[in-house]
Amino acid sequence: MTIQETEQKYLEQFAQIDDEFDKYTWMMYLAGKLPQAAEELHRDENLLKDCQSKVWFTMTMENGRVRIQADSDTLIIKGLLTMMTELLDNRTPGEIRQHDILLFRRLDVESVLNDARKAGMNLGVNQLEAHYLAGGNVDLSLIHISEPTRLQLI
């Protein structure tokens, strides 16, 4: 499934849910689909800073493909990470460069979050966009890729 098809799948699923509680439940359901994180992911250097929840995230290159590992200590955030992982994991940089990933903005996930979670989600997404996704446009301008080191992005 392409990035665009995956994004559309999530948009359609979310649009079919009218009740706010059911949206929250759906996000927690997605948490169970997040691939099991390797133990070494849970290091301080992989933590996103200033989030209410603990969120660990890495992006590496393996055999010419972007590999993502992510985890959180809260189900709702794990649900968001599940979507991000399905969108971007095991894709080539060229595949990712071709798309503006707007899923989280289009989903209106904030409608099911309290104020603290909204602020944390926005902070986390902004950190990921700024640090890993080149300003929010998933334009992976790769400086150095040496397997299996961490991606270094502009």
Side-chain angles (χ1 to χ4, degrees), residues 21-114:
F21 181 76
D22 290 342
K23 288 180 180 180
Y24 193 79
T25 302
W26 179 71
M27 296 297 294
M28 291 189 297
Y29 164 77
L30 289 176
K33 295 185 171 289
L34 186 66
Q36 180 70 35
E39 186 61 35
E40 61 266 11
L41 176 67
H42 296 106
R43 295 182 186 156
D44 286 345
E45 67 262 20
N46 297 329
L47 272 171
L48 293 183
K49 307 294 184 245
D50 301 318
C51 291
Q52 182 179 13
S53 301
K54 288 188 177 182
V55 179
W56 297 271
F57 185 88
T58 62
M59 232 187 221
T60 58
M61 284 295 291
E62 292 178 18
N63 300 319
R65 294 192 169 272
V66 174
R67 298 311 315 250
I68 294 175
Q69 286 192 47
D71 199 9
S72 177
D73 63 348
T74 58
L75 292 176
I76 193 79
I77 302 302
K78 274 188 166 186
L80 295 170
L81 292 170
T82 297
M83 289 187 281
M84 178 180 284
T85 300
E86 188 174 349
L87 283 169
L88 303 177
D89 186 48
N90 207 24
R91 309 274 186 189
T92 67
E95 288 175 288
I96 296 170
R97 277 189 202 107
Q98 293 175 7
H99 299 281
D100 289 334
I101 307 299
L102 301 172
L103 177 64
F104 298 114
R105 301 197 196 298
R106 290 180 181 158
L107 276 179
D108 187 30
V109 174
E110 292 182 356
S111 67
V112 298
L113 302 176
N114 64 33

